Amino acid sequence: MKGEGKMAKYHRIIIDGVPYYREYSYGLDGYGEMLSEDELVQMLLEEVIDEEIEINEREIEAALRRIADRDDRNLLQSYIRYLERISRE
């Protein structure tokens, strides 16, 4: 599974005021390739993000309107409001 194992350590190297990053292996006493900050952030995000969840409020609202049973619709709307509240905590 992604995200398991020991996180790599990096050294920041500033060249003419521009930060770059290189993975440093203490065991091998050596460096990996030079990365820009954007490249490092993208690589780290790919390592730690386990799942992407996309929420489209318009599609959810449209789906709720298609539920014929009023009690079911109200139940789901209440649950969605609950989820919205806890997501902001």
Side-chain angles (χ1 to χ4, degrees):
M1 183 161 105
K2 273 206 258 187
E4 291 182 4
K6 190 173 182 179
M7 182 71 78
K9 298 294 181 183
Y10 289 82
H11 288 176
R12 180 181 297 152
I13 301 159
I14 300 172
I15 301 173
D16 295 327
V18 179
Y20 295 93
Y21 300 84
R22 292 187 87 170
E23 181 178 356
Y24 183 73
S25 173
Y26 288 93
L28 300 175
D29 194 31
Y31 284 101
E33 71 175 285
M34 183 99 68
L35 301 170
S36 71
E37 190 165 329
D38 288 341
E39 291 170 324
L40 177 62
V41 168
Q42 184 62 38
M43 186 183 74
L44 293 173
L45 285 173
E46 288 173 5
E47 286 182 25
V48 299
I49 301 295
D50 186 47
E51 183 178 358
E52 184 171 310
I53 300 168
E54 187 174 334
I55 298 170
N56 184 315
E57 289 183 25
R58 287 186 180 142
E59 288 180 10
I60 292 169
E61 290 168 3
L64 283 171
R65 285 192 299 273
R66 290 190 301 267
I67 297 173
D69 186 285
R70 185 176 184 184
D71 291 334
D72 287 347
R73 187 172 52 248
N74 289 337
L75 175 67
L76 289 173
Q77 287 171 327
S78 293
Y79 185 63
I80 289 169
R81 282 193 302 275
Y82 164 74
L83 292 174
E84 289 171 341
R85 280 193 303 273
I86 66 169
S87 72
R88 293 184 190 117
E89 293 179 356

